[in-house]
Amino acid sequence: TLSLHDALPIWLDLLRALDADDRLASHHRLDAVRAHLLERSGNRNAAIAHYRTAAEKAASLPERNYLLTQAARLAESTAAITDMRSPAG
């Protein structure tokens, strides 16, 4: 069984193949899935960027709000982790 970390390149390659499909290339869900996978793998900054890109492409206001909320949640937790790692000053 592959861990998510080990399988991530496979999943991202599959998404790249879907990016080439004109029917899906501009759809927000590809970026949303990519963001989710990157978040799960620990690549927070890339995940935030893809959540925001997905939100820009989303036609539905509830989906857009959800994706922006995910990006904000992740940005806040990333800032908190960074603050905890910074030397007290």
Side-chain angles (χ1 to χ4, degrees):
T1 304
L2 290 174
S3 70
L4 176 62
H5 179 75
D6 293 336
L8 183 63
I10 297 166
W11 289 109
L12 292 175
D13 282 346
L14 289 171
L15 287 174
R16 275 190 285 280
L18 292 174
D19 286 336
D21 185 330
D22 290 338
R23 297 169 297 174
L24 298 172
S26 63
H27 204 282
H28 73 280
R29 287 195 177 102
L30 290 179
D31 283 297
V33 169
R34 190 174 281 114
H36 177 75
L37 290 171
L38 290 166
E39 178 182 356
R40 296 283 310 269
S41 74
N43 192 341
R44 293 170 175 264
N45 291 330
I48 292 166
H50 283 285
Y51 277 129
R52 290 177 178 158
T53 299
E56 290 174 9
K57 294 178 180 179
S60 159
L61 188 58
E63 283 182 298
R64 184 182 192 311
N65 289 341
Y66 172 79
L67 293 163
L68 289 173
T69 300
Q70 293 298 92
R73 173 192 54 79
L74 198 52
E76 282 181 22
S77 67
T78 300
I81 290 169
T82 301
D83 288 346
M84 290 185 332
R85 292 180 181 166
S86 296

